[in-house]
Amino acid sequence: MTQEARVSSATDPWGRVDEEGTVYVKTADGERVVGSWQAGAAEEALAYFKRKYDSLATEIGLLEQRIRTTDLAPAQAASSIERLRESVVDANAVGDLDSLLRRLDALGEMAGKKREELKVQRDHARSAAKEVKERIVAEAERLAVEETHWKNGGERLRQLVEEWKAAERIDRATETVLWKRLSAARNAFTKRRKAYFSSLEDQRAVAQAEKERLVAEAEAISGSTQWNDTAAAYRELMRRWKNAGRASREVEDELWGRFKGAQDVFFNARKAAFDERDAEFAGNAEVKEKLLEEAERLVPVGNIRQTRQALRSIQERWEAAGMVPRADRDRLEGRLRKVEEAVRQAEEAEWRRSNPEARARAEATVSQLRSSIEQLEKKLAKAESANNAKGAKEAQEALTARRAWLEEAERTLAEFTG
């Protein structure tokens, strides 16, 4: 079978196969050879080269989809577009290659827009990241200067470093400057914390020495029986203890145990002594209870002289009875003071009644007010007769006031007359 019998010429809108089996593609620049076909019919040749075209079109379609729907990096998109452009320009395929190039041009524009959008997004992200990192640095620098809660401050600085790592990166120069400031703040905080604890150790050593002296003093007087003076001494030791500051925890607990133990020895001994003494004083309390019953019968006061003599006798016997238990002291002495106060008030009242000068002043006041009232009554009657409303009102107001004063003055005078 001859070659002419196997291959016949064929045409297509985008290509053709001549009688020699040469395959052409039509482009805007004219025809160009894309291959040779000697194995069969021309239609088969066109179909074969169309499949190559379809393969290119499919690959471009996939790239279009990736650029539209994924976060394909602009550089990778540009590289893929350029590779496909070279493939289309030199493609041994039959089809609308010019349309494929136009699609690739459109993809190039789309990729360019995405590149610009990405640049804007990156610039915005870097600006936001810069603000975040500047805030982190500012807080770290504040902590380095102000924070005194060392555990919380150290933990917060660690969190700030993690926040820094999680933030977007910014331009290298700014990033470097800010990171140096953050590192410097962390170092400053660490140095200040070390200095604090170093000084704290010194303070604890001083406090320990002072409290060891206080413990020695407390233990030295724990056996004293000078109850009042020693109790005052322990109060002073406690004041000094509170002002001495704290030693290390283990030493503090040990010293406090000794200090408290010395106090307990003294105060337990004092309580035992007071309890024993109170038992001895119980009989004295019974004597004073009877004296109080006798004293309270003097009230209300009758004859001042007799009452004073009786009270003096009770007071002498009260002193002679001796001390009473502490629990009863205030109650018993309070009852006696009430009787003494009642007698004192009765004496003052008697003195006022028997004071001739005060009585004369009271009588003169009453006489003067009565005379004034008589004058005002006449003045009122005269004003009323003359229909002098204003004068009558003034006279009436003055008369009301004088009568009130007279009532009070008469009560005062009555105290002198009994």
Side-chain angles (χ1 to χ4, degrees), residues 362-378 399 402-403 405-407 409-411 413-414:
E363 289 175 345
T365 300
V366 170
S367 177
Q368 183 179 1
L369 286 171
R370 286 173 178 171
S371 176
S372 178
I373 288 171
E374 289 177 2
Q375 295 298 322
L376 287 170
E377 287 174 342
K378 292 177 181 180
L399 187 59
R402 297 303 188 282
R403 285 172 176 166
W405 296 347
L406 177 61
E407 184 178 348
E410 287 175 340
R411 280 199 297 270
L413 182 59

Side-chain angles (χ1 to χ4, degrees), residues 108-161:
E109 293 178 2
M110 185 185 302
K113 289 181 181 179
K114 286 209 167 188
R115 184 184 300 108
E116 291 301 318
E117 292 173 358
L118 182 60
K119 182 177 182 301
V120 171
Q121 292 174 359
R122 285 176 177 172
D123 290 344
H124 178 74
R126 285 175 178 174
S127 177
K130 181 181 178 183
E131 292 181 4
V132 169
K133 292 187 174 182
E134 286 175 342
R135 174 190 60 77
I136 290 172
V137 170
E139 183 176 352
E141 289 174 338
R142 181 188 62 78
L143 292 173
V145 174
E146 300 177 4
E147 183 61 67
T148 56
H149 196 300
W150 306 112
K151 182 177 180 181
N152 290 350
E155 179 59 29
R156 182 54 185 154
L157 283 172
R158 284 189 289 273
Q159 291 173 357
L160 289 175
V161 171

Side-chain angles (χ1 to χ4, degrees), residues 94-312:
V94 173
D96 190 357
L97 295 176
D98 291 330
S99 70
L100 295 184
L101 291 174
R102 288 194 295 273
R103 287 170 65 183
L104 288 172
D105 290 340
L107 282 179
E109 293 178 2
M110 185 185 302
K113 289 181 181 179
K114 286 209 167 188
R115 184 184 300 108
E116 291 301 318
E117 292 173 358
L118 182 60
K119 182 177 182 301
V120 171
Q121 292 174 359
R122 285 176 177 172
D123 290 344
H124 178 74
R126 285 175 178 174
S127 177
K130 181 181 178 183
E131 292 181 4
V132 169
K133 292 187 174 182
E134 286 175 342
R135 174 190 60 77
I136 290 172
V137 170
E139 183 176 352
E141 289 174 338
R142 181 188 62 78
L143 292 173
V145 174
E146 300 177 4
E147 183 61 67
T148 56
H149 196 300
W150 306 112
K151 182 177 180 181
N152 290 350
E155 179 59 29
R156 182 54 185 154
L157 283 172
R158 284 189 289 273
Q159 291 173 357
L160 289 175
V161 171
E162 294 303 316
E163 291 178 17
W164 175 283
K165 293 177 180 178
E168 294 287 338
R169 292 187 63 83
I170 56 180
D171 64 276
R172 179 172 297 180
T174 305
E175 180 109 1
T176 300
V177 170
L178 291 176
W179 176 254
K180 286 181 179 179
R181 286 173 58 190
L182 177 60
S183 298
R186 294 169 65 197
N187 291 336
F189 177 83
T190 300
K191 289 179 181 178
R192 196 161 61 87
R193 179 174 57 186
K194 288 181 178 178
Y196 169 80
F197 283 108
S198 177
S199 66
L200 188 61
E201 289 300 320
D202 294 340
Q203 294 171 15
R204 285 175 175 172
V206 172
Q208 177 178 340
E210 172 63 12
K211 288 188 173 181
E212 286 174 347
R213 287 192 292 270
L214 295 175
V215 168
E217 292 182 40
E219 291 174 339
I221 61 175
S222 63
S224 172
T225 57
Q226 302 297 317
W227 309 122
N228 292 336
D229 292 344
T230 306
Y234 272 115
R235 287 193 294 272
E236 174 60 16
L237 289 175
M238 178 58 74
R239 184 192 66 78
R240 290 167 56 191
W241 180 279
K242 291 178 179 178
N243 292 335
R246 292 186 62 83
S248 63
R249 178 174 298 179
E250 298 79 5
V251 173
E252 182 80 16
D253 291 343
E254 189 269 334
L255 290 175
W256 172 250
R258 290 173 57 192
F259 185 83
K260 183 67 167 55
Q263 286 189 106
D264 290 345
V265 169
F266 169 77
F267 285 107
N268 289 339
R270 187 183 70 161
K271 182 179 183 302
F274 283 178
D275 289 344
E276 182 179 354
R277 186 180 65 181
D278 286 348
E280 296 175 359
F281 292 163
N284 299 343
E286 293 178 3
V287 172
K288 290 190 175 183
E289 289 279 4
K290 290 184 173 58
L291 289 173
L292 282 171
E293 293 173 2
E294 182 181 342
E296 288 168 346
R297 287 195 293 269
L298 298 176
V299 181
V301 177
N303 185 291
I304 291 296
R305 179 172 297 179
Q306 292 177 356
T307 299
R308 168 50 67 187
Q309 290 176 350
L311 180 59
R312 186 177 296 110

Side-chain angles (χ1 to χ4, degrees), residues 63 76-89 104:
L63 181 58
Q76 186 178 352
S79 175
S80 298
I81 292 170
E82 186 61 29
R83 178 181 58 79
L84 284 173
R85 186 183 300 279
E86 292 175 358
S87 297
V88 170
V89 169
L104 288 172

Side-chain angles (χ1 to χ4, degrees), residues 65-78:
Q65 185 176 4
R66 288 183 66 193
I67 292 176
R68 289 193 182 99
T69 62
T70 68
D71 294 330
L72 183 64
Q76 186 178 352

Side-chain angles (χ1 to χ4, degrees), residues 7-66:
V7 179
S8 61
S9 64
T11 60
D12 181 87
W14 305 108
R16 67 184 178 86
V17 181
D18 66 12
E19 293 178 354
E20 300 298 324
T22 302
V23 183
Y24 298 87
V25 65
K26 299 176 182 179
T27 68
D29 297 329
E31 288 186 336
R32 67 178 175 83
V33 176
V34 296
S36 176
W37 187 265
Q38 304 295 326
E43 288 77 8
E44 294 177 359
L46 290 174
Y48 171 77
F49 286 101
K50 284 181 179 180
R51 286 195 296 273
K52 288 191 173 184
Y53 172 86
D54 292 339
S55 177
L56 284 172
T58 299
E59 193 171 354
I60 291 173
L62 292 173
L63 181 58
E64 287 173 335
Q65 185 176 4
R66 288 183 66 193

